[in-house]
CSV table of all heavy atoms in Angstrom, one decimal:
chain,number,residue,atom,x,y,z
A,1,LYS,N,106.1,99.6,105.3
A,1,LYS,CA,105.9,98.5,106.3
A,1,LYS,C,107.1,98.4,107.2
A,1,LYS,O,106.9,98.2,108.4
A,1,LYS,CB,105.8,97.2,105.5
A,1,LYS,CG,104.5,97.0,104.8
A,1,LYS,CD,104.4,95.7,104.0
A,1,LYS,CE,103.1,95.6,103.2
A,1,LYS,NZ,103.0,94.3,102.5
A,2,GLN,N,108.3,98.7,106.7
A,2,GLN,CA,109.5,98.8,107.6
A,2,GLN,C,109.3,99.9,108.6
A,2,GLN,O,109.6,99.7,109.8
A,2,GLN,CB,110.7,99.0,106.8
A,2,GLN,CG,112.0,99.2,107.6
A,2,GLN,CD,113.1,99.6,106.7
A,2,GLN,OE1,113.1,99.6,105.5
A,2,GLN,NE2,114.2,100.0,107.4
A,3,LEU,N,108.8,101.1,108.2
A,3,LEU,CA,108.6,102.2,109.2
A,3,LEU,C,107.6,101.8,110.2
A,3,LEU,O,107.8,102.2,111.4
A,3,LEU,CB,108.3,103.4,108.4
A,3,LEU,CG,109.3,104.0,107.5
A,3,LEU,CD1,108.7,105.2,106.7
A,3,LEU,CD2,110.6,104.4,108.2
A,4,GLU,N,106.5,101.2,109.8
A,4,GLU,CA,105.5,100.8,110.8
A,4,GLU,C,106.1,99.8,111.8
A,4,GLU,O,105.8,100.0,113.0
A,4,GLU,CB,104.3,100.2,110.0
A,4,GLU,CG,103.2,99.8,111.0
A,4,GLU,CD,102.0,99.1,110.2
A,4,GLU,OE1,102.3,98.3,109.3
A,4,GLU,OE2,100.9,99.4,110.6
A,5,LYS,N,106.8,98.9,111.3
A,5,LYS,CA,107.4,97.9,112.2
A,5,LYS,C,108.4,98.6,113.2
A,5,LYS,O,108.4,98.3,114.4
A,5,LYS,CB,108.1,96.8,111.4
A,5,LYS,CG,108.7,95.7,112.3
A,5,LYS,CD,109.4,94.6,111.4
A,5,LYS,CE,110.0,93.6,112.3
A,5,LYS,NZ,110.6,92.5,111.6
A,6,GLN,N,109.2,99.5,112.6
A,6,GLN,CA,110.2,100.2,113.5
A,6,GLN,C,109.5,101.0,114.5
A,6,GLN,O,109.9,101.1,115.7
A,6,GLN,CB,111.1,101.1,112.6
A,6,GLN,CG,112.3,101.7,113.3
A,6,GLN,CD,113.3,100.6,113.6
A,6,GLN,OE1,113.6,99.8,112.7
A,6,GLN,NE2,113.9,100.7,114.8
A,7,SER,N,108.4,101.7,114.2
A,7,SER,CA,107.6,102.5,115.1
A,7,SER,C,107.1,101.6,116.2
A,7,SER,O,107.2,102.0,117.4
A,7,SER,CB,106.5,103.1,114.4
A,7,SER,OG,105.6,103.8,115.3
A,8,ASN,N,106.6,100.4,115.9
A,8,ASN,CA,106.1,99.5,116.9
A,8,ASN,C,107.2,99.0,117.8
A,8,ASN,O,107.1,99.0,119.0
A,8,ASN,CB,105.4,98.3,116.2
A,8,ASN,CG,104.8,97.4,117.2
A,8,ASN,OD1,105.3,96.3,117.5
A,8,ASN,ND2,103.6,97.8,117.8
A,9,THR,N,108.3,98.6,117.2
A,9,THR,CA,109.5,98.1,118.0
A,9,THR,C,110.0,99.1,118.9
A,9,THR,O,110.3,98.8,120.1
A,9,THR,CB,110.6,97.6,117.1
A,9,THR,OG1,110.0,96.5,116.2
A,9,THR,CG2,111.7,97.0,117.8
A,10,ASP,N,110.2,100.3,118.4
A,10,ASP,CA,110.9,101.4,119.2
A,10,ASP,C,110.0,102.3,119.9
A,10,ASP,O,110.4,103.3,120.6
A,10,ASP,CB,111.8,102.2,118.3
A,10,ASP,CG,112.9,101.5,117.7
A,10,ASP,OD1,113.2,100.3,118.1
A,10,ASP,OD2,113.5,102.0,116.7
A,11,ASN,N,108.7,102.1,119.7
A,11,ASN,CA,107.7,103.1,120.3
A,11,ASN,C,108.0,104.5,119.8
A,11,ASN,O,108.0,105.4,120.6
A,11,ASN,CB,107.6,103.0,121.8
A,11,ASN,CG,106.4,103.7,122.4
A,11,ASN,OD1,105.3,103.6,121.7
A,11,ASN,ND2,106.5,104.3,123.5
A,12,SER,N,108.2,104.6,118.5
A,12,SER,CA,108.7,105.9,118.0
A,12,SER,C,107.7,106.4,116.9
A,12,SER,O,107.0,105.6,116.3
A,12,SER,CB,110.1,105.8,117.4
A,12,SER,OG,110.1,104.9,116.3
A,13,THR,N,107.8,107.7,116.6
A,13,THR,CA,107.0,108.2,115.5
A,13,THR,C,108.0,108.3,114.3
A,13,THR,O,109.1,108.8,114.4
A,13,THR,CB,106.5,109.6,115.8
A,13,THR,OG1,105.6,109.5,116.9
A,13,THR,CG2,105.7,110.2,114.6
A,14,GLU,N,107.6,107.8,113.2
A,14,GLU,CA,108.4,107.8,112.0
A,14,GLU,C,107.9,108.9,111.0
A,14,GLU,O,106.7,108.9,110.7
A,14,GLU,CB,108.3,106.4,111.3
A,14,GLU,CG,108.8,105.3,112.1
A,14,GLU,CD,110.3,105.4,112.5
A,14,GLU,OE1,111.1,105.9,111.7
A,14,GLU,OE2,110.6,105.1,113.7
A,15,ILE,N,108.7,109.8,110.7
A,15,ILE,CA,108.4,111.0,109.9
A,15,ILE,C,109.0,110.9,108.5
A,15,ILE,O,110.2,110.5,108.4
A,15,ILE,CB,108.9,112.3,110.6
A,15,ILE,CG1,108.3,112.3,112.0
A,15,ILE,CG2,108.5,113.5,109.8
A,15,ILE,CD1,109.0,113.4,112.9
A,16,PHE,N,108.2,111.3,107.5
A,16,PHE,CA,108.8,111.3,106.1
A,16,PHE,C,108.1,112.4,105.3
A,16,PHE,O,107.1,112.9,105.7
A,16,PHE,CB,108.8,109.9,105.4
A,16,PHE,CG,107.4,109.3,105.4
A,16,PHE,CD1,106.6,109.5,104.3
A,16,PHE,CD2,106.9,108.5,106.4
A,16,PHE,CE1,105.3,108.9,104.2
A,16,PHE,CE2,105.7,108.0,106.3
A,16,PHE,CZ,104.9,108.2,105.2
A,17,ILE,N,108.8,112.7,104.2
A,17,ILE,CA,108.2,113.7,103.3
A,17,ILE,C,108.1,113.1,101.9
A,17,ILE,O,108.6,112.1,101.6
A,17,ILE,CB,109.1,115.0,103.3
A,17,ILE,CG1,110.5,114.7,102.9
A,17,ILE,CG2,109.0,115.7,104.6
A,17,ILE,CD1,111.4,115.9,102.8
A,18,GLU,N,107.4,113.9,101.1
A,18,GLU,CA,107.3,113.4,99.7
A,18,GLU,C,107.2,114.6,98.8
A,18,GLU,O,106.8,115.7,99.3
A,18,GLU,CB,106.1,112.5,99.5
A,18,GLU,CG,106.0,111.8,98.2
A,18,GLU,CD,107.3,111.1,97.8
A,18,GLU,OE1,107.6,110.0,98.2
A,18,GLU,OE2,108.0,111.7,97.0
A,19,THR,N,107.5,114.5,97.5
A,19,THR,CA,107.2,115.6,96.6
A,19,THR,C,105.7,115.7,96.5
A,19,THR,O,105.0,114.8,96.5
A,19,THR,CB,107.9,115.3,95.2
A,19,THR,OG1,107.3,114.1,94.7
A,19,THR,CG2,109.4,115.2,95.3
A,20,PRO,N,105.2,117.0,96.4
A,20,PRO,CA,103.8,117.2,96.4
A,20,PRO,C,103.0,116.4,95.4
A,20,PRO,O,101.9,115.9,95.7
A,20,PRO,CB,103.6,118.7,96.2
A,20,PRO,CG,104.9,119.3,96.8
A,20,PRO,CD,106.0,118.2,96.4
A,21,TYR,N,103.5,116.2,94.2
A,21,TYR,CA,102.7,115.5,93.2
A,21,TYR,C,102.6,114.0,93.5
A,21,TYR,O,101.8,113.3,92.8
A,21,TYR,CB,103.3,115.8,91.8
A,21,TYR,CG,104.7,115.2,91.5
A,21,TYR,CD1,104.9,114.0,91.0
A,21,TYR,CD2,105.8,116.0,91.8
A,21,TYR,CE1,106.2,113.5,90.8
A,21,TYR,CE2,107.1,115.6,91.5
A,21,TYR,CZ,107.3,114.3,91.0
A,21,TYR,OH,108.5,113.8,90.8
A,22,ARG,N,103.4,113.5,94.4
A,22,ARG,CA,103.2,112.1,94.8
A,22,ARG,C,102.5,111.8,96.1
A,22,ARG,O,102.3,110.7,96.6
A,22,ARG,CB,104.6,111.4,94.9
A,22,ARG,CG,105.2,111.1,93.6
A,22,ARG,CD,106.3,110.1,93.6
A,22,ARG,NE,107.5,110.5,94.4
A,22,ARG,CZ,108.6,110.9,93.9
A,22,ARG,NH1,108.8,111.0,92.5
A,22,ARG,NH2,109.6,111.3,94.6
A,23,ASN,N,101.9,112.9,96.7
A,23,ASN,CA,101.2,112.8,98.0
A,23,ASN,C,100.1,111.7,97.9
A,23,ASN,O,100.0,110.9,98.8
A,23,ASN,CB,100.6,114.1,98.4
A,23,ASN,CG,101.6,115.1,98.9
A,23,ASN,OD1,102.8,114.8,99.2
A,23,ASN,ND2,101.2,116.4,99.0
A,24,LYS,N,99.3,111.8,96.9
A,24,LYS,CA,98.2,110.9,96.8
A,24,LYS,C,98.6,109.4,96.8
A,24,LYS,O,98.0,108.5,97.3
A,24,LYS,CB,97.2,111.2,95.7
A,24,LYS,CG,97.9,111.0,94.3
A,24,LYS,CD,96.9,111.4,93.2
A,24,LYS,CE,97.6,111.4,91.9
A,24,LYS,NZ,96.7,111.9,90.8
A,25,TRP,N,99.7,109.1,96.2
A,25,TRP,CA,100.2,107.7,96.1
A,25,TRP,C,100.8,107.3,97.4
A,25,TRP,O,100.5,106.1,97.8
A,25,TRP,CB,101.3,107.6,95.0
A,25,TRP,CG,100.8,108.1,93.7
A,25,TRP,CD1,101.4,109.1,93.0
A,25,TRP,CD2,99.7,107.6,92.9
A,25,TRP,NE1,100.6,109.3,91.8
A,25,TRP,CE2,99.6,108.4,91.8
A,25,TRP,CE3,98.8,106.6,93.1
A,25,TRP,CZ2,98.7,108.2,90.8
A,25,TRP,CZ3,97.8,106.4,92.2
A,25,TRP,CH2,97.8,107.2,91.0
A,26,VAL,N,101.4,108.2,98.1
A,26,VAL,CA,102.0,107.8,99.5
A,26,VAL,C,100.8,107.6,100.4
A,26,VAL,O,100.8,106.6,101.2
A,26,VAL,CB,102.9,108.9,100.0
A,26,VAL,CG1,103.2,108.7,101.5
A,26,VAL,CG2,104.2,109.0,99.2
A,27,ILE,N,99.8,108.4,100.4
A,27,ILE,CA,98.6,108.3,101.3
A,27,ILE,C,97.9,107.0,101.0
A,27,ILE,O,97.6,106.2,101.9
A,27,ILE,CB,97.7,109.5,101.1
A,27,ILE,CG1,98.4,110.7,101.7
A,27,ILE,CG2,96.4,109.2,101.8
A,27,ILE,CD1,97.7,112.0,101.3
A,28,ARG,N,97.7,106.7,99.7
A,28,ARG,CA,97.1,105.4,99.3
A,28,ARG,C,97.9,104.2,99.8
A,28,ARG,O,97.3,103.3,100.4
A,28,ARG,CB,97.0,105.4,97.8
A,28,ARG,CG,96.4,104.0,97.3
A,28,ARG,CD,96.8,103.7,95.9
A,28,ARG,NE,98.2,103.5,95.8
A,28,ARG,CZ,98.9,103.6,94.7
A,28,ARG,NH1,98.4,103.9,93.6
A,28,ARG,NH2,100.2,103.5,94.7
A,29,ASP,N,99.2,104.3,99.6
A,29,ASP,CA,100.0,103.1,100.0
A,29,ASP,C,100.0,102.9,101.5
A,29,ASP,O,100.0,101.8,102.0
A,29,ASP,CB,101.5,103.3,99.5
A,29,ASP,CG,101.5,103.2,98.0
A,29,ASP,OD1,100.6,102.6,97.4
A,29,ASP,OD2,102.6,103.6,97.4
A,30,VAL,N,100.0,104.0,102.3
A,30,VAL,CA,100.0,103.9,103.8
A,30,VAL,C,98.6,103.3,104.2
A,30,VAL,O,98.6,102.3,104.9
A,30,VAL,CB,100.2,105.2,104.5
A,30,VAL,CG1,99.9,105.1,106.0
A,30,VAL,CG2,101.7,105.7,104.3
A,31,LEU,N,97.6,103.8,103.6
A,31,LEU,CA,96.2,103.3,104.0
A,31,LEU,C,96.0,101.9,103.6
A,31,LEU,O,95.2,101.2,104.3
A,31,LEU,CB,95.1,104.3,103.5
A,31,LEU,CG,95.2,105.7,104.0
A,31,LEU,CD1,94.1,106.5,103.4
A,31,LEU,CD2,95.1,105.7,105.6
A,32,GLU,N,96.6,101.5,102.5
A,32,GLU,CA,96.3,100.1,102.0
A,32,GLU,C,97.3,99.1,102.7
A,32,GLU,O,97.0,97.9,102.6
A,32,GLU,CB,96.5,100.1,100.5
A,32,GLU,CG,95.4,100.7,99.7
A,32,GLU,CD,95.6,100.7,98.2
A,32,GLU,OE1,96.6,100.2,97.8
A,32,GLU,OE2,94.7,101.3,97.5
A,33,ASN,N,98.4,99.5,103.3
A,33,ASN,CA,99.4,98.6,103.7
A,33,ASN,C,99.7,98.6,105.2
A,33,ASN,O,100.4,97.7,105.7
A,33,ASN,CB,100.7,98.8,102.9
A,33,ASN,CG,100.5,98.4,101.5
A,33,ASN,OD1,100.4,97.2,101.2
A,33,ASN,ND2,100.3,99.4,100.6
A,34,CYS,N,99.2,99.6,106.0
A,34,CYS,CA,99.5,99.6,107.4
A,34,CYS,C,98.3,99.0,108.1
A,34,CYS,O,97.2,98.9,107.6
A,34,CYS,CB,99.7,101.1,107.9
A,34,CYS,SG,101.3,101.7,107.4
A,35,ARG,N,98.5,98.6,109.4
A,35,ARG,CA,97.5,98.0,110.2
A,35,ARG,C,96.5,99.0,110.6
A,35,ARG,O,96.7,100.2,110.7
A,35,ARG,CB,98.2,97.4,111.5
A,35,ARG,CG,99.1,96.3,111.2
A,35,ARG,CD,99.8,95.9,112.5
A,35,ARG,NE,100.8,94.9,112.2
A,35,ARG,CZ,101.6,94.3,113.1
A,35,ARG,NH1,101.5,94.7,114.4
A,35,ARG,NH2,102.4,93.4,112.8
A,36,PRO,N,95.2,98.6,110.8
A,36,PRO,CA,94.1,99.5,111.1
A,36,PRO,C,94.4,100.4,112.3
A,36,PRO,O,93.9,101.5,112.3
A,36,PRO,CB,92.9,98.5,111.3
A,36,PRO,CG,93.3,97.3,110.6
A,36,PRO,CD,94.8,97.2,110.7
A,37,GLY,N,95.0,99.9,113.3
A,37,GLY,CA,95.3,100.7,114.5
A,37,GLY,C,96.4,101.6,114.4
A,37,GLY,O,96.6,102.5,115.3
A,38,THR,N,97.3,101.5,113.4
A,38,THR,CA,98.4,102.4,113.3
A,38,THR,C,97.9,103.9,113.1
A,38,THR,O,97.0,104.1,112.4
A,38,THR,CB,99.3,102.0,112.1
A,38,THR,OG1,99.9,100.7,112.4
A,38,THR,CG2,100.4,103.0,111.8
């Protein structure tokens, strides 16, 4: 949520990585918690 807000405020792309075995959790959390237009 902080990265999404920062992206909106700064008009920036926020990049991050994750260990491969946690990919599905990160994807789920982004899709469940970011705004539809992000």
Side-chain angles (χ1 to χ4, degrees):
K1 289 179 180 181
Q2 176 190 348
L3 294 176
E4 182 183 39
K5 182 178 179 181
Q6 191 70 42
S7 174
N8 183 260
T9 301
D10 295 346
N11 194 35
S12 63
T13 300
E14 301 299 320
I15 304 167
F16 55 94
I17 57 177
E18 189 50 82
T19 59
Y21 64 91
R22 284 201 293 257
N23 286 345
K24 64 183 174 184
W25 306 118
V26 168
I27 293 167
R28 178 205 62 203
D29 291 343
V30 169
L31 296 180
E32 289 178 0
N33 292 284
C34 286
R35 295 176 182 178
T38 293

